[in-house]
Amino acid sequence: MSNSPNIEKLIEQLRILPGVGPKTAQRMAFHVLAQHRRSKAKHLAQTLEMAVQTVRHCDSCRNYCESTLCHICASPDRDPSTLCIIESPQDVWAIEQTASFKGHYFVLHGRLSPLDGIGPQDIGLDQLIKRMSTTSVQELIIATNSTVEGEATAHYIAQQAQPLNIPCSRIAHGVPMGGELEYLDGNTLSYALQARVQLDTDHVDQR
Amino acid sequence: MSNSPNIEKLIEQLRILPGVGPKTAQRMAFHVLAQHRRSKAKHLAQTLEMAVQTVRHCDSCRNYCESTLCHICASPDRDPSTLCIIESPQDVWAIEQTASFKGHYFVLHGRLSPLDGIGPQDIGLDQLIKRMSTTSVQELIIATNSTVEGEATAHYIAQQAQPLNIPCSRIAHGVPMGGELEYLDGNTLSYALQARVQLDTDHVDQR
């Protein structure tokens, strides 16, 4: 409809952003082309191009960073003997925000999925195994998502760690803190029942 | 939280897009940085920069285009004597999609809003008045939005057209086709009652 091929191209290409359909892309394109937003839009374009060019994977944990090692792997305050394995860089953000983990990470950038042709090497498991055999990793905490593929990936990693005598744990599943039972899905609830933990009765009596 | 300043910048700058908050911007940034999407992201960045650089206002109607005249103003099939005045380039798209208007447009890129310091020259009204006095414009159809500012803009334009003896019309307001009365706001309904049109009884009888 528009007679500007560059607007058409922009609308088409904005759709690579997640959750952006044709209507939203059109709205975005016209929004950034308004005269008073053009310098900001140019800045966004340059930052996007620079991010694509400069952001790489940390040599040690495969998290996004701009140098050889990310700030977590380079930090002397972090314990490299505990390794938390997650699917995506966003998961690093989520765990870091809790400030309750002081070890290192290993980012898979995916999960095992043979049907999609994603094997161990595609998610860096060769690099992980090399790291487990050559450095002093003493514990693996596997925090892949609790989907079918995430669970399969967790089991595969645990199998690889076994001959190296590295203990593997999986993050706990169950009722979210503050969550109400009636709103919870059946799977989580039935898992929470099975994985119940003994109450510390001394502690309970003291109340 | 991330140790990549360029990711931080990208997240911050993605927020100039309409409807994008901090969480969505973060999701978008990580989404486009996935290895298999990087070439597309680079392409988007280049297209955005090129659009910002090349898309300009048509000399005649101020719609977005990449040459001196847009394809509507340049077309020999359109009638330059009828001018439809709208607030934004998106409105051109909306009207063109109906295929029911064959005249020319004039895009204000805004509306009169003295409180925000937007006067007649900021929305190109000097250019519009010049065009009305020098070319053969025979009718103005004012299709600004029916907000307080849109109505004020419509009245201002009508006032300017009066001494030039150019008839001005305003697009009709009322019940949307297929709309149901019970879901309509009171303002629209009361306007629709006042602006009722005589039924063609001959036509009704033929049914």
Side-chain angles (χ1 to χ4, degrees), chain A residues 82-86 95 101 103-107 139-143 171:
Chain A
T82 312
L83 213 56
C84 180
I85 297 165
I86 66 263
I95 296 179
F101 178 69
H104 280 207
Y105 293 93
F106 189 86
V107 184
E139 192 192 349
L140 289 190
I141 299 173
I142 306 179
I171 51 167

Side-chain angles (χ1 to χ4, degrees), chain B residues 16-189:
Chain B
I16 69 159
L17 298 175
V20 174
K23 270 277 174 191
T24 309
Q26 184 183 321
R27 200 159 56 95
M28 284 177 166
F30 282 116
H31 186 88
V32 297
L33 285 171
Q35 211 60 50
H36 63 285
R37 281 191 205 95
R38 292 213 177 181
S39 67
K40 283 186 186 169
K42 196 178 165 188
H43 220 67
L44 167 60
Q46 289 164 346
T47 307
L48 177 56
E49 194 161 0
M50 197 195 294
V52 167
Q53 272 163 7
T54 59
V55 173
R56 59 191 294 283
H57 291 179
C58 166
D59 276 357
S60 173
C61 73
R62 300 179 16 117
N63 191 10
Y64 288 142
C65 68
E66 282 158 36
S67 39
T68 326
L69 285 183
C70 74
H71 75 304
I72 295 173
C73 291
S75 163
D77 301 333
R78 310 283 301 219
D79 170 20
S81 69
T82 312
L83 213 54
C84 179
I85 296 166
I86 66 262
E87 290 187 17
S88 75
Q90 288 100 305
D91 300 334
V92 176
W93 278 47
I95 296 179
E96 283 297 290
Q97 274 175 347
T98 68
S100 59
F101 177 70
K102 289 293 161 209
H104 280 208
Y105 293 94
F106 189 86
V107 184
L108 302 174
H109 292 283
R111 61 203 77 80
L112 283 182
S113 179
L115 287 178
D116 302 318
I118 301 175
Q121 294 194 346
D122 300 308
I123 57 172
L125 291 187
D126 44 345
Q127 192 179 330
L128 176 63
I129 291 164
K130 195 177 156 201
R131 183 159 164 198
M132 289 194 292
S133 10
T134 54
T135 61
S136 58
V137 177
Q138 279 163 27
E139 190 191 352
L140 289 191
I141 299 173
I142 307 182
T144 52
N145 294 328
S146 66
T147 56
V148 175
E149 285 109 345
E151 294 294 346
T153 310
H155 277 98
Y156 183 89
I157 295 172
Q159 272 173 356
Q160 304 297 311
Q162 207 173 15
L164 302 165
N165 281 325
I166 299 173
C168 274
S169 57
R170 184 97 176 89
I171 51 167
H173 293 96
V175 185
M177 301 295 284
E180 292 184 37
L181 294 196
E182 59 174 322
Y183 296 117
L184 213 60
D185 66 293
N187 270 344
T188 306
L189 200 48

Side-chain angles (χ1 to χ4, degrees), chain A residues 2-6 13 16 26 30-31 33 38 43-47 49 52 54-55 64 66 70-71 93, chain B residues 2-6 13 16 26 30-31 33 38 43 45-47 49 52 54-55 64 66 70-71 93:
Chain A
S2 165
N3 61 335
S4 163
N6 284 341
Q13 288 174 23
I16 69 158
Q26 185 185 320
F30 281 116
H31 186 88
L33 285 172
R38 291 212 178 181
H43 220 66
L44 167 60
Q46 288 163 347
T47 308
E49 193 161 1
V52 167
T54 60
V55 174
Y64 287 142
E66 282 158 36
C70 73
H71 75 304
W93 278 47
Chain B
S2 163
N3 62 335
S4 163
N6 283 342
Q13 287 174 23
I16 69 159
Q26 184 183 321
F30 282 116
H31 186 88
L33 285 171
R38 292 213 177 181
H43 220 67
Q46 289 164 346
T47 307
E49 194 161 0
V52 167
T54 59
V55 173
Y64 288 142
E66 282 158 36
C70 74
H71 75 304
W93 278 47

